[in-house]
Amino acid sequence: MNIRHAPRLATSLAVAVAVTALIAIPVSAANQVTQAVTTGTRTASVANLTLGSVSTSHSAQTSTGTLTLTADDSTGSNLGWNVTILSSAFVYSGSNSGTDIPASDFSLTSAAAAVRTAGQAVDATGGPKVPLVSPVGTLDSARKTVQALILFGNGTYTQALDVSLTIPADSAAGTYTGTLTTTISAAP
């Protein structure tokens, strides 16, 4: 090798090593992906129910049926919730001068366990579940029928509610219609 070319060869070799080192060094960056999840809604409702017809009688009569409650918590808040149901009087309509049936004659006779339709599984302790204080009784005051504790009830659930209407003796022929107010609120 010619000594005169040695410095150029050494420089070329150093440049080649430096370029190779730059190519081989991994380069990283801190990139992010962000996803926002917005608050949904919390709803509860009961399906309309038509009780079976009864004939006019000189004795009080009882008519029974089953309401289906649907409760949904899609808020993502994990606050838990409770559902109450309240009835109005059963307002008479017809041509026989009937009298409204008071809300105190309409009763919740049993409340079944909640059944999951979608979302978080039902938990025996956290719910959704029938409250410890029984919801059975007249619906002239709000009755808590189902609740979910904090961190539970993130989903959609149904509940069967057995009801009974006492029809007073000598009620006039016609139609009697009650309105149910179903309320779902945060926190059990």
Side-chain angles (χ1 to χ4, degrees), residues 1 16 40 42 54 63 65 102 105 113 139 143 152 156 179-180:
M1 171 171 6
R42 184 181 294 114
V54 297
S63 184
D105 286 359
L139 288 168
R143 299 262 174 200
F152 295 94
T156 305
T179 300
L180 297 178

Side-chain angles (χ1 to χ4, degrees), residues 57-167:
S57 173
H58 299 299
S59 299
Q61 301 178 75
T62 301
S63 184
T64 61
T66 302
L67 293 169
T68 300
L69 167 73
T70 301
D72 176 83
D73 185 0
S74 296
T75 62
S77 66
N78 292 314
L79 294 176
W81 46 265
N82 66 72
V83 175
T84 60
I85 297 179
L86 171 69
S87 180
S88 71
F90 281 67
V91 177
Y92 173 80
S93 63
S95 58
N96 297 310
S97 301
T99 304
D100 296 350
I101 299 172
S104 59
D105 286 359
F106 190 51
S107 298
L108 180 64
T109 57
S110 72
V115 176
R116 176 179 67 117
T117 302
Q120 187 178 28
V122 173
D123 180 83
T125 304
K129 62 183 182 175
V130 176
L132 293 176
V133 175
S134 174
V136 171
T138 61
L139 288 168
D140 56 336
S141 61
R143 299 262 174 200
K144 186 189 300 187
T145 66
V146 64
Q147 69 180 38
L149 301 180
I150 292 172
L151 301 179
F152 295 94
N154 296 308
T156 305
Y157 308 89
T158 60
Q159 182 184 37
L161 301 169
D162 291 331
V163 292
S164 173
L165 177 63
T166 300
I167 302 150

